[in-house]
Amino acid sequence: MKADLDHLMAARDLTAILVECSDHFSAARDYLTGGVSITQGKVIKKRAAPPILIVNPMETEEARKSGLHVYSYYDLGYADLLKEMKGDRDQATRAFWIKCLEAAGVPEGKVGIYGVGDHNVIIDIVARLGDQYPQYTFAGETGMTIFHEAFLTKDADELGRMRDIGVRVGKVLQATWDYIASHGARDQMVVKEDGSPLTVGAVKRFVRRTLLDHDLEDTDMIFAQGRDAGFPHSRGETPDAIKLGQSIVFDLFPRELGGGYHHDCTRTWCVGFAPDEVRQAYDQVMEAFDLSVEIIRPGMDAKAPQEAVQDYFEARGHKTSRSDPMTIEGYVHSLGHGLGMNVHERPLLSHLSTDKFQKGNIITIEPGLYYPERGFGVRIEDTFCINEQGELVSLTPFHKELVLPLKS
Amino acid sequence: MKADLDHLMAARDLTAILVECSDHFSAARDYLTGGVSITQGKVIKKRAAPPILIVNPMETEEARKSGLHVYSYYDLGYADLLKEMKGDRDQATRAFWIKCLEAAGVPEGKVGIYGVGDHNVIIDIVARLGDQYPQYTFAGETGMTIFHEAFLTKDADELGRMRDIGVRVGKVLQATWDYIASHGARDQMVVKEDGSPLTVGAVKRFVRRTLLDHDLEDTDMIFAQGRDAGFPHSRGETPDAIKLGQSIVFDLFPRELGGGYHHDCTRTWCVGFAPDEVRQAYDQVMEAFDLSVEIIRPGMDAKAPQEAVQDYFEARGHKTSRSDPMTIEGYVHSLGHGLGMNVHERPLLSHLSTDKFQKGNIITIEPGLYYPERGFGVRIEDTFCINEQGELVSLTPFHKELVLPLKS
């Protein structure tokens, strides 16, 4: 939780956190600022002090919406530095980093660098800063970073917000179901009133528009049919017609419009009817889903439900990424992951995970079975929280019917 | 241009380029691959060889759409490395970088690191790799990077694609104009049929949907009215009602859906009527726009039209960012910038720019005047190319009327 940050900084011996901003979404930036549309600048948090924001003068107005103290580049003398350095922007940029740290009350110490942007730029800046200003140590971090640790548990505000997003996503799923159902069929294809086929692209377009109606934005949904559905991360070919009796894996993980928290859920649909082998796989995936939901509780190793699901699938003759790490058939991925401002957070529900569940986690559970050469794939996914009572509660209010019947 | 890459690598003594991928959009990734939806992995280009792709097994199918040679993590033995390193993911990750470079035929040498992702991760990986594998030098780059240089000029395919995006954006502007015009007025506000006010948020929603209809996606448009319009990068307050006689700065810089090339254009609209001071500022901005378009030609310093526009505005009593770098009134930004897979590329049309114009540039021209305390701002922007004949040609087919009359 956000309230843990100072303590997490102390554990890493960090004097300050510096989030370098760009026009890419950064969860670290939005976590510290509450979410502001700034496309360059820095957020600096000294330990035991509130963050400050340093932005381009054009973005001061936007930055002030955060309620944090805002400095513009000119407040901190960027123009003078540029003059002093005779127009050498790289030199001026580095000297300006130091001015910003000083403005945050950090004249020396270990500074953790976060944010999202161009690898080439940050590598160069940090290497040179370290040489030039030995009073600082500039540190990166991999694995369970300070933000991963803070994101592990959500406070009541965050949970409320994510619950609300789940309700809106449920409405988008229902609208999409109804949209497809309103079509007819011809030659084993779903068709529009004029007899032309309903394509994957048309459905995706419908979903994106419906997301916008609920102030959500698509982050590259999966709507993949038949053989495509057999590859967990294939995006679905947009000109393909939707066909009867094909498994469609529909994985939607939208974000609040303009950046913020996510929801993540997957349904598998067969329009008109479900072939036996798809139905059989579906029933097994649902059993795996239910048995995971059954066992998860605070304090448990996050790998435990994955191992239980792998046991379950292996006992039924499926390969898993534990029994055969190279397989592309069977159950080939993790059971789930933490979710928040990033689609993938901790805890990891992989059989290699060293994480443990705790109250305040928001996670996905998403078992699946994939048989691309047999032309199908199946996955079911809900988002869950582990509440104050230690119960696992679904945040995805939408049914899990496999067969989507056409109305006409 | 893409064809220049080997030559640009030689100039930097780079044996290879490595683009580390994440779920953030990366122009470098899409430039080398033609645009594929992969959310992790690497693109490695050895000098004088085509790029190769290394991806998670789940994304091999997607990666193959690039037509490039694709390796999965398992092809290159990631699982074995993890076993060898006794589950230490960080160690295994670094050893795997080396395996990937070897697979690309790069056993040593200077490797330029590009792509977009978490600063903390890349800083840590590259620092440790450099210590651990002295046969390589891992280099970042700031300023005019190899991709900036390549992006400077667009080939015929890229120009064709960007011209087409411009046509689609022109249709979105027309639809938005017509949408607002279809409303009525009451108490100096634009109102819907039921008498409720038309809000900035409603217009933005309309624009986002219309963009999707043209397979474009919003990248955080500006639709800012009155005092807000007086700050170049204010996003516009969504619950605000649209009022008659207020200047609205509408800056749209959408991207091809799913990532790709951009268009960038701005219009200033006054619904119903334009107050005298807005009209006067508008006429001056149009003159500044026209005089820039008039003078730009290949070989010219990219700062020249900015200086001409600054001269023009200063002669009329406005402050500029040259005469007063701290001003937030007057003409406070650059005249424009290169445009492509990034919204901001080279050449820079700033008075501090050292770039020169050349054939194949795609640039924006966007003079503006801002008076937040007087409650208005004005900006006009088109995207242009400098064609093979050295002519500056607009790619933004939409009119520049200031007053948007309501139909009823």
Side-chain angles (χ1 to χ4, degrees):
Chain A
M1 267 180 235
K2 229 176 271 193
D4 301 328
L5 272 174
D6 288 318
H7 146 79
L8 296 170
M9 289 174 74
R12 286 164 176 79
D13 197 27
L14 289 174
T15 311
I17 287 172
L18 185 153
V19 178
E20 178 70 1
C21 301
S22 73
D23 51 5
H24 295 277
F25 172 75
S26 157
R29 178 196 68 194
D30 283 13
Y31 198 63
L32 291 182
T33 63
V36 289
S37 277
I38 55 168
T39 63
Q40 41 176 298
K42 298 176 189 359
V43 187
I44 305 181
K45 180 182 156 41
K46 185 185 172 179
R47 205 196 306 169
I52 65 164
L53 261 161
I54 299 123
V55 301
N56 188 302
M58 296 206 303
E59 301 189 320
T60 48
E61 194 73 357
E62 192 68 30
R64 285 202 186 99
K65 293 178 190 163
S66 66
L68 299 173
H69 193 93
V70 174
Y71 295 94
S72 86
Y73 289 2
Y74 291 120
D75 295 339
L76 299 184
Y78 178 71
D80 297 334
L81 283 176
L82 202 56
K83 224 176 276 173
E84 212 175 292
M85 307 294 177
K86 300 188 173 40
D88 181 333
R89 274 174 187 273
D90 288 350
Q91 274 284 10
T93 296
R94 293 194 295 274
F96 188 63
W97 272 59
I98 305 303
K99 287 257 190 230
C100 294
L101 283 166
E102 287 167 354
V106 184
E108 60 180 2
K110 186 174 172 193
V111 180
I113 311 295
Y114 299 88
V116 172
D118 287 327
H119 291 323
N120 48 302
V121 173
I122 202 74
I123 288 170
D124 188 84
I125 288 179
V126 167
R128 289 178 205 270
L129 275 175
D131 292 344
Q132 218 173 330
Y133 301 97
Q135 67 271 40
Y136 295 100
T137 312
F138 296 97
E141 193 184 4
T142 56
M144 180 67 107
T145 70
I146 193 168
F147 285 100
H148 284 120
E149 273 202 71
F151 293 163
L152 259 178
T153 54
K154 272 75 180 175
D155 62 27
D157 279 354
E158 293 176 287
L159 174 58
R161 205 161 146 183
M162 290 187 72
R163 189 186 293 279
D164 178 62
I165 300 167
V167 169
R168 282 138 70 194
V169 170
K171 289 179 184 160
V172 174
L173 289 172
Q174 186 64 54
T176 308
W177 174 282
D178 293 343
Y179 171 70
I180 297 173
S182 72
H183 287 75
R186 178 177 57 77
D187 303 337
Q188 297 297 304
M189 282 187 313
V190 180
V191 294
K192 295 187 272 192
E193 264 188 15
D194 66 5
S196 68
L198 178 69
T199 64
V200 168
V203 175
K204 283 186 166 184
R205 198 171 286 197
F206 175 87
V207 174
R208 286 195 196 96
R209 291 182 71 133
T210 310
L211 285 169
L212 285 179
D213 290 343
H214 292 88
D215 286 332
L216 298 170
E217 63 188 347
D218 179 34
T219 56
D220 210 6
M221 78 183 96
I222 295 169
F223 192 95
Q225 166 175 258
R227 181 173 180 279
D228 274 343
F231 293 97
H233 272 206
S234 275
R235 263 29 183 177
E237 286 300 316
T238 54
D240 284 0
I242 295 188
K243 299 192 188 101
L244 300 188
Q246 298 274 324
S247 73
I248 295 167
V249 169
F250 178 26
D251 188 346
L252 195 60
F253 38 99
R255 187 169 61 192
E256 291 171 291
L257 191 61
Y261 290 86
H262 291 81
H263 190 82
D264 194 358
C265 58
T266 306
R267 291 294 181 267
T268 301
W269 293 340
C270 285
V271 181
F273 69 96
D276 285 347
E277 61 177 357
V278 174
R279 164 62 70 187
Q280 196 185 7
Y282 191 84
D283 290 344
Q284 291 185 7
V285 168
M286 274 308 307
E287 273 201 59
F289 181 91
D290 290 338
L291 80 84
S292 328
V293 173
E294 193 78 7
I295 61 178
I296 291 174
R297 56 177 193 279
M300 172 183 271
D301 287 336
K303 69 179 176 185
Q306 167 75 339
E307 286 174 333
V309 167
Q310 286 171 329
D311 290 344
Y312 173 87
F313 282 134
E314 286 168 19
R316 276 149 194 82
H318 303 289
K319 288 183 179 174
T320 72
S321 47
R322 180 179 64 181
S323 68
D324 177 0
M326 294 185 60
T327 187
I328 59 162
E329 286 200 345
Y331 175 51
V332 300
H333 54 64
S334 298
L335 183 62
H337 51 82
L339 181 78
M341 288 220 199
N342 301 287
V343 179
H344 294 103
E345 296 186 355
R346 308 290 284 263
L348 296 177
L349 282 70
S350 135
H351 65 280
L352 302 173
S353 179
T354 53
D355 299 337
K356 280 184 192 296
F357 294 117
Q358 54 183 309
K359 291 176 187 177
N361 286 161
I362 294 190
I363 57 170
T364 69
I365 296 179
E366 47 177 315
L369 283 173
Y370 306 93
Y371 286 95
E373 295 318 317
R374 286 156 61 189
F376 74 91
V378 166
R379 182 164 67 253
I380 289 293
E381 175 183 28
D382 277 3
T383 296
F384 290 86
C385 72
I386 302 182
N387 70 12
E388 272 308 300
Q389 289 71 48
E391 300 154 345
L392 191 71
V393 179
S394 173
L395 304 182
T396 310
F398 190 70
H399 70 71
K400 298 190 181 70
E401 292 300 316
L402 169 62
V403 176
L404 190 164
L406 296 179
K407 280 180 188 138
S408 51
Chain B
M1 270 180 232
K2 229 176 270 193
D4 301 328
L5 273 175
D6 288 319
H7 146 79
L8 296 169
M9 288 173 75
R12 285 165 175 79
D13 197 27
L14 288 175
T15 311
I17 286 172
L18 185 152
V19 178
E20 179 71 2
C21 302
S22 73
D23 51 6
H24 294 277
F25 172 74
S26 157
R29 177 196 67 193
D30 282 14
Y31 199 61
L32 291 181
T33 63
V36 289
S37 276
I38 54 168
T39 62
Q40 42 176 297
K42 298 174 189 2
V43 188
I44 305 180
K45 181 183 155 39
K46 186 186 174 181
R47 205 197 304 170
I52 66 164
L53 261 161
I54 299 123
V55 300
N56 187 302
M58 297 206 302
E59 301 190 318
T60 49
E61 194 73 357
E62 193 68 29
R64 286 203 184 95
K65 293 179 190 163
S66 66
L68 300 173
H69 192 95
V70 173
Y71 295 95
S72 86
Y73 289 3
Y74 291 121
D75 294 340
L76 299 185
Y78 178 72
D80 297 335
L81 283 176
L82 200 57
K83 223 176 277 172
E84 213 175 291
M85 307 295 176
K86 299 188 173 46
D88 181 332
R89 273 172 188 274
D90 288 350
Q91 274 284 9
T93 296
R94 293 194 294 274
F96 188 64
W97 271 60
I98 305 304
K99 286 259 190 227
C100 294
L101 284 166
E102 286 167 355
V106 184
E108 59 181 1
K110 185 175 173 192
V111 180
I113 310 294
Y114 299 88
V116 172
D118 288 327
H119 292 323
N120 49 301
V121 173
I122 202 74
I123 288 170
D124 187 84
I125 288 179
V126 167
R128 290 177 205 270
L129 275 175
D131 291 345
Q132 216 173 334
Y133 300 97
Q135 67 271 40
Y136 295 99
T137 312
F138 297 98
E141 194 184 3
T142 57
M144 180 67 107
T145 69
I146 192 166
F147 285 101
H148 285 120
E149 273 203 71
F151 294 163
L152 259 177
T153 55
K154 271 74 180 175
D155 63 26
D157 279 354
E158 292 176 289
L159 174 57
R161 204 161 147 183
M162 290 186 72
R163 189 186 294 278
D164 178 62
I165 300 167
V167 170
R168 282 138 67 194
V169 170
K171 289 179 184 160
V172 174
L173 289 173
Q174 186 62 55
T176 308
W177 174 281
D178 293 342
Y179 170 71
I180 297 173
S182 72
H183 287 77
R186 179 176 57 79
D187 303 337
Q188 299 297 305
M189 281 188 313
V190 181
V191 294
K192 294 187 272 193
E193 264 188 17
D194 65 5
S196 67
L198 178 69
T199 64
V200 169
V203 175
K204 283 187 164 184
R205 197 172 285 199
F206 176 86
V207 174
R208 287 196 196 98
R209 291 183 69 132
T210 310
L211 285 168
L212 284 179
D213 290 343
H214 292 88
D215 287 331
L216 298 170
E217 62 187 348
D218 179 35
T219 56
D220 210 6
M221 79 183 96
I222 294 169
F223 192 95
Q225 166 176 258
R227 182 173 180 279
D228 273 342
F231 294 96
H233 272 205
S234 274
R235 263 28 185 177
E237 286 300 316
T238 53
D240 283 1
I242 296 188
K243 301 191 186 102
L244 300 189
Q246 298 275 322
S247 74
I248 296 167
V249 170
F250 178 26
D251 188 345
L252 196 59
F253 38 100
R255 187 169 62 192
E256 291 170 291
L257 191 60
Y261 290 86
H262 292 81
H263 190 81
D264 193 358
C265 58
T266 306
R267 292 295 181 267
T268 301
W269 294 339
C270 286
V271 181
F273 70 96
D276 284 347
E277 62 177 356
V278 174
R279 163 62 71 188
Q280 197 185 7
Y282 191 83
D283 289 345
Q284 290 186 7
V285 168
M286 273 308 308
E287 274 202 57
F289 181 90
D290 290 338
L291 81 85
S292 330
V293 173
E294 194 78 10
I295 61 179
I296 291 173
R297 57 179 192 279
M300 171 183 272
D301 287 336
K303 69 180 175 184
Q306 166 76 339
E307 285 174 333
V309 167
Q310 287 171 329
D311 290 345
Y312 173 88
F313 283 134
E314 287 168 19
R316 276 151 193 83
H318 303 289
K319 289 183 179 172
T320 72
S321 47
R322 180 180 64 180
S323 68
D324 178 0
M326 292 185 62
T327 186
I328 58 161
E329 285 201 346
Y331 175 50
V332 300
H333 54 64
S334 297
L335 184 61
H337 50 83
L339 181 76
M341 289 219 198
N342 302 288
V343 179
H344 294 102
E345 295 187 356
R346 307 290 283 263
L348 296 177
L349 282 70
S350 137
H351 65 279
L352 303 172
S353 179
T354 54
D355 299 336
K356 279 184 193 296
F357 294 116
Q358 53 182 310
K359 293 175 187 176
N361 285 160
I362 295 190
I363 57 170
T364 69
I365 297 180
E366 47 177 315
L369 285 172
Y370 307 92
Y371 287 96
E373 295 317 317
R374 286 157 61 192
F376 74 92
V378 166
R379 182 164 68 253
I380 289 291
E381 175 183 28
D382 277 3
T383 296
F384 290 86
C385 71
I386 303 183
N387 70 12
E388 272 310 298
Q389 289 70 48
E391 300 154 346
L392 192 71
V393 179
S394 172
L395 304 181
T396 310
F398 189 71
H399 70 74
K400 298 190 182 68
E401 293 301 317
L402 170 62
V403 176
L404 190 163
L406 297 179
K407 283 185 184 130
S408 49

